[in-house]
Amino acid sequence: NLLIIRSLLDNSFIQSIVGFANQAFDLYAPRLFSYYVNILNYLCETDPRLERHFAKSVFACYAFNLGGKVRSWVHTDHLNLAFGWCSVTALGNFDPKKGGHLVLWDLKLVIEFPPGSTIFLPSALLHHSNIPVQPGEERLSFVQWTAGGLFRWVDFGFKPAGTFAKEVGKKAADEANKARWQEGLNLLPRLSEVSSTS
């Protein structure tokens, strides 16, 4: 398995997807991107045993969904950073008008999601899934994210949330969590900041 994983990580096409997602994230959500960069850098500098899968990526975690007809049921990724973004890239050979659509249930949206497309979504908050592709077609995906626990670990002084709460008290811990949530919302881009090129 390690040889297969290493070949995927070293694949130039996967590295291009990682680079594209990194640049797009920085372009559309620069404050949130910087938060990801700072936390991951701090983690790696503090513990030299940690190794990045991709040298210049802002994300700490990756999933290769290679089952041939990959689809997901309605879910949220509750362990991801609550105000964070997850990058999903659709791969394969399928007609995006007939299948493979991304469904964002809370927003009541069904989105055509062609092979080679990448989308960012707050996967911890939005219920999402995708519909199957047609017989004889293939759909794969590559997902990038960072677990919320890594951010909390750093923000709480390299301690688990429970230990932090015991040290500072429940009320102070609750206040710290509320402050983290508000700071996180302030990192998100505003519609007024995204200029249209059309």
Side-chain angles (χ1 to χ4, degrees):
N1 288 344
L2 287 176
L3 287 174
I4 294 169
I5 292 169
R6 189 72 259 165
S7 70
L8 287 168
L9 297 177
D10 290 341
N11 183 285
S12 62
F13 296 109
I14 296 297
Q15 291 180 3
S16 292
I17 292 170
V18 169
F20 171 77
N22 220 43
Q23 293 299 314
F25 191 4
D26 187 19
L27 179 65
Y28 285 101
R31 289 185 302 275
L32 185 60
F33 177 86
S34 291
Y35 180 54
Y36 275 65
V37 168
N38 293 338
I39 291 295
L40 192 57
N41 284 346
Y42 195 38
L43 278 168
C44 291
E45 289 164 7
T46 305
D47 188 345
R49 296 171 300 171
L50 297 176
E51 182 181 322
R52 293 173 188 250
H53 297 294
F54 297 99
K56 296 182 180 179
S57 178
V58 70
F59 294 106
C61 307
Y62 307 89
F64 296 94
N65 300 307
L66 307 175
K69 288 188 181 286
V70 172
R71 68 179 287 204
S72 63
W73 301 105
V74 181
H75 69 287
T76 58
D77 301 310
H78 66 279
L79 296 179
N80 290 3
L81 180 64
F83 53 83
W85 284 5
C86 169
S87 168
V88 181
T89 301
L91 303 168
N93 185 11
F94 61 91
D95 183 345
K97 298 212 174 282
K98 295 182 179 177
H101 296 64
L102 175 67
V103 182
L104 302 179
W105 294 85
D106 305 293
L107 302 178
K108 297 180 174 34
L109 291 175
V110 178
I111 303 167
E112 284 184 17
F113 197 29
S117 297
T118 297
I119 192 168
F120 292 92
L121 64 141
S123 64
L125 299 178
L126 292 179
H127 289 84
H128 56 283
S129 65
N130 66 282
I131 64 173
V133 295
Q134 300 297 300
E137 294 182 335
E138 181 179 55
R139 183 189 181 278
L140 316 169
S141 68
F142 177 57
V143 184
Q144 305 174 70
W145 77 97
T146 301
L150 293 177
F151 296 93
R152 192 170 49 247
W153 176 260
V154 172
D155 288 344
F156 289 168
F158 296 91
K159 299 174 187 141
T163 302
F164 177 77
K166 284 179 187 173
E167 288 179 359
V168 301
K170 183 178 180 344
K171 185 176 180 183
D174 288 345
E175 289 301 317
N177 280 319
K178 286 179 189 173
R180 288 181 70 242
W181 174 252
Q182 190 55 56
E183 288 169 15
L185 293 179
N186 291 335
L187 296 175
L188 295 174
R190 305 294 183 260
L191 191 56
S192 60
E193 298 169 340
V194 181
S195 62
S196 174
T197 57
S198 57

